[in-house]
Amino acid sequence: MTVTVSASGLTLRYGGTVALDDVALRLEEGITGLLGPNGAGKTTLLRVLATAVPADRGAFTVLGHDPGTAAGRLAVRRTLGYLPQNPGFHPDFTAFAFVDYVAILKELTDRAARHREVRRVLAEVDLADVRGRRIKRLSGGMRQRVALAAALVGDPRFLVLDEPTAGLDPEQRMRFRELITRTGEGRTVLLSTHQTEDVAMLCHRVIVMAGGHVRFEGTPAELTARAAGRVWSSAERDPGARAGWRTGAGAFRNVGDPPEGADLLEPTLEDGYLLTLDDTGAQAVTR
Amino acid sequence: MSGDTNPRQTWHLAEEDLRAYDRGELAPPLLWSADAHLAGCAECRVRLAGLADPAVLDAGWARLDAELDAPRPSLLERLLLRCGVADHTARLLAATPVLRRSWLLAVTAVLVMTVAASDALRQADSPTLFLALAPLLPLAGVALAYGPVCDPAYEMAVVAPLHGFRLVLVRTVAVLAVGLGMNGLATLALPGYGLRALAWLLPALALTATGLALTPRLGAVLAPALTGGGWIALLAVAATGRHGDATLPPFTAAGQGAAAAVAALAVVLLVHLRDRFDFAADRTAPTGGPYGGTP
């Protein structure tokens, strides 16, 4: 499979804080999930890859273009669709007017061609019927879809989505997942999220970040497999467990190093994620 | 035109009349006759479609298609379009917060009050209060036209292929034109001072250019704030050393020359730093409310 993004040694500091520390990764066609706790460096990594901020050190290419040069940066931006963590809207704009505005920023200056493209992307995110409605009158889920439509203008090959499902209710989240699956076909998508379900349902690869480092890179199945034999059930919370919580059935689900003869359970992606963080000392996993 | 051919239709348009109709050259009353006939004759409509240049037809459909969903332009956009500004540039400017009504009303109110106060006091050789304030308005307007604090879609704009410096320039020119125009109108309200009432112009250009030139290094908030603060401090120092009602040094000929030099230097620096506008002014992760960007 073609490597779309290749990065090595990416390092970025905010004052005394190291947000990215020698990050290396490769992204291929398909959806890659980016998991990590708050402050892990996910948004910073996405902003660097989206060319919003330059890294202090390190380099990366997108489809062979080096954003370190002005020409390379322009080429990267022409292949890029970016949905930031807090996509901002001009609240008085309609959905159509806002996407039209972003289309102009993406160099679509011919009015007829631009409007065709705006209609196409709004239809792609199922917003054709509300295209004339002001953004401030749209629900949170619809606003996220407007932002996704804006990211899709110009049919980008590399999509960077920063926590697109945050703040959505379960029904909206499910609809948005369907959209991401659909729009991810034939593209390289980097999807930052706090939700392990997003990764389990959408992604063919997953990267776990903590403390500015990449802690894991592999398939969701490989991340889940990290917790094989390390999840068990008990009537009371096991004090030796790294994490433990009461389930709906009343028993405790423990994650860590099980005692002799423990009642082992089938691990989930979340178990693998929690253990990856805990194994690297990135986060004390207690609930 | 609708419907099939009227079954009682007994005649058809002549070939040369159809061609003239297609070219838009058929004159009344033949034109009215052709219009009425085409409305009821499918055969002649097909013949007319066959005459038309496919490229012209496609372009016509594309134009129609583009208009179907086009949002109704705002007052500002309509004004810009009427002035001959390209539609995509007008849309870029319509997204400039300080070109909106609330900002313009606020600036007008401030100018009216300042002019009234300057005219009422009439103690000094020049309308000092007006001259001190007028350069700050374009500076503030330009600062508020671009940047993560005031442009909710700033993050998307930064990573778009349109060069950041070009967007800054487009908005700066528009905001300056409006700001300087309003200041100019306010100047007309102080005829007693003659040309001395125009002594705000060069400081305004110097402050605006300096604020912009410092933005890549200091950020979109700190740079104009420090520039404006520096201007106020300079005036305060000048006022302290003033003898009687003498004109403050920044508004004398020498002061105007210095302002012109600062403006020129800042423009050179700005051009030199133009690629720095290609990245977010604020390296920290953005935060925002439901519409983003709004503090």
Side-chain angles (χ1 to χ4, degrees):
Chain A
M1 203 174 268
T2 315
V3 175
T4 309
V5 179
S6 176
S8 63
L10 291 179
T11 303
L12 195 150
R13 288 171 183 271
Y14 295 137
T17 308
V18 181
L20 293 181
D21 192 0
D22 200 23
V23 168
L25 55 84
R26 288 157 71 88
L27 302 176
E28 299 167 344
E29 191 178 298
I31 303 174
T32 300
L34 184 60
L35 280 172
N38 285 330
K42 302 190 301 294
T43 290
T44 302
L45 176 62
L46 263 52
R47 293 185 83 208
V48 168
L49 295 180
T51 72
V53 290
D56 296 332
R57 278 194 289 126
F60 71 99
T61 59
V62 177
L63 292 161
H65 303 296
D66 174 11
T69 65
R73 195 160 51 247
L74 181 62
V76 169
R77 288 175 174 178
R78 284 177 174 156
T79 65
L80 176 77
Y82 178 43
L83 195 165
Q85 190 174 29
N86 291 302
F89 302 103
H90 295 280
D92 289 333
F93 274 9
T94 62
F96 190 99
F98 179 75
V99 179
D100 190 44
Y101 167 67
V102 175
I104 292 167
L105 294 173
K106 291 191 172 188
E107 301 177 312
L108 297 181
T109 51
D110 179 78
R111 184 183 166 91
R114 190 175 77 238
H115 285 185
R116 267 201 306 277
E117 177 67 359
V118 173
R119 288 169 67 179
R120 182 189 72 77
V121 293
L122 283 172
E124 194 170 340
V125 300
D126 303 326
L127 284 181
D129 291 343
V130 297
R131 59 184 181 261
R133 203 178 291 174
R134 284 177 192 266
I135 291 176
K136 63 185 172 191
R137 306 224 180 282
L138 298 178
S139 68
M142 284 181 172
R143 283 204 289 267
Q144 279 296 74
R145 281 191 274 156
V146 172
L148 181 61
L152 291 173
V153 168
D155 198 14
R157 290 186 58 193
F158 178 37
L159 263 184
V160 176
L161 310 178
D162 196 354
E163 299 190 24
T165 58
L168 302 184
D169 66 37
E171 194 263 335
Q172 289 175 332
R173 206 155 54 228
M174 193 50 74
R175 288 197 67 184
F176 211 84
R177 283 177 185 145
E178 287 172 10
L179 263 181
I180 293 170
T181 308
R182 216 188 310 153
T183 53
E185 284 172 18
R187 294 187 170 107
T188 299
V189 182
L190 182 58
L191 168 76
S192 165
T193 179
H194 279 295
Q195 318 261 348
T196 49
E197 309 99 271
D198 285 345
V199 174
M201 290 182 192
L202 297 172
C203 302
H204 82 299
R205 303 276 299 172
V206 57
I207 295 169
V208 177
M209 282 191 77
H213 293 274
V214 170
R215 305 289 184 177
F216 173 86
E217 192 175 357
T219 64
E222 288 166 347
L223 183 58
T224 304
R226 284 195 154 198
R230 300 178 72 186
V231 185
W232 70 100
S233 174
S234 61
E236 296 298 327
R237 189 185 187 287
D238 193 323
R242 297 191 194 178
W245 61 94
R246 193 186 289 280
T247 64
F252 271 83
R253 183 182 181 90
N254 303 285
V255 181
D257 299 314
E260 206 57 34
D263 179 15
L264 293 178
L265 298 173
E266 195 67 27
T268 64
L269 187 74
E270 185 168 61
D271 299 326
Y273 167 62
L274 291 174
L275 280 168
T276 298
L277 292 183
D278 201 48
D279 286 346
T280 56
Q283 178 178 293
V285 185
T286 51
R287 296 190 190 184
Chain B
M1 294 179 194
S2 62
D4 297 327
T5 300
N6 183 339
R8 286 179 292 180
Q9 196 72 59
T10 55
W11 63 282
H12 295 289
L13 287 169
E15 186 77 9
E16 62 191 276
D17 289 345
L18 262 181
R19 288 186 187 282
Y21 186 91
D22 175 50
R23 292 192 302 269
E25 294 171 358
L26 199 62
L30 258 179
L31 173 64
W32 303 331
S33 172
D35 272 337
H37 177 81
L38 284 165
C41 181
E43 192 179 324
C44 283
R45 287 202 297 274
V46 170
R47 286 171 60 216
L48 178 66
L51 289 176
D53 179 353
V56 173
L57 266 183
D58 285 349
W61 281 118
R63 275 198 305 277
L64 180 63
D65 205 32
E67 293 306 323
L68 282 177
D69 281 330
R72 190 170 171 272
S74 65
L75 181 66
L76 170 69
E77 271 185 273
R78 290 203 297 275
L79 193 65
L80 291 166
L81 293 171
R82 194 158 286 192
C83 293
V85 175
D87 91 293
H88 55 276
T89 308
R91 176 53 49 84
L92 286 181
L93 292 174
T96 309
V98 293
L99 288 179
R100 291 177 179 274
R101 205 174 306 161
S102 53
W103 165 263
L104 297 177
L105 286 175
V107 169
T108 305
V110 169
L111 280 172
V112 166
M113 282 189 288
T114 312
V115 166
S118 296
D119 205 35
L121 292 173
R122 296 215 59 145
Q123 290 168 344
D125 192 38
S126 63
T128 307
L129 183 62
F130 173 66
L131 294 181
L133 182 84
L136 292 174
L137 296 176
L139 170 72
V142 170
L144 294 172
Y146 183 82
V149 176
C150 297
D151 184 354
Y154 176 73
E155 190 86 348
M156 288 188 183
V158 164
V159 303
L162 184 80
H163 198 285
F165 189 61
R166 191 174 155 213
L167 185 59
V168 169
L169 279 190
V170 165
R171 289 187 173 171
T172 297
V173 168
V175 173
L176 269 184
V178 173
L180 297 184
M182 291 170 87
N183 275 353
L185 286 176
T187 306
L188 293 178
L190 294 166
Y193 292 104
L195 287 177
R196 284 168 297 169
L198 273 173
W200 55 267
L201 183 57
L202 286 169
L205 293 174
L207 291 187
T208 304
T210 305
L212 271 178
L214 294 178
T215 295
R217 177 156 288 278
L218 299 176
V221 176
L222 193 56
L226 282 180
T227 307
W231 169 246
I232 292 167
L234 176 72
L235 291 179
V237 170
T240 309
R242 176 160 68 166
H243 300 292
D245 286 345
T247 303
L248 286 180
F251 307 125
T252 61
Q256 294 289 295
V262 170
L265 274 177
V267 168
V268 170
L269 183 63
L270 192 58
V271 172
H272 181 67
L273 295 174
R274 61 189 180 280
D275 281 347
R276 300 279 291 274
F277 288 90
D278 229 10
F279 296 105
D282 180 2
R283 293 207 338 163
T284 55
T287 56
Y291 301 120
T294 314

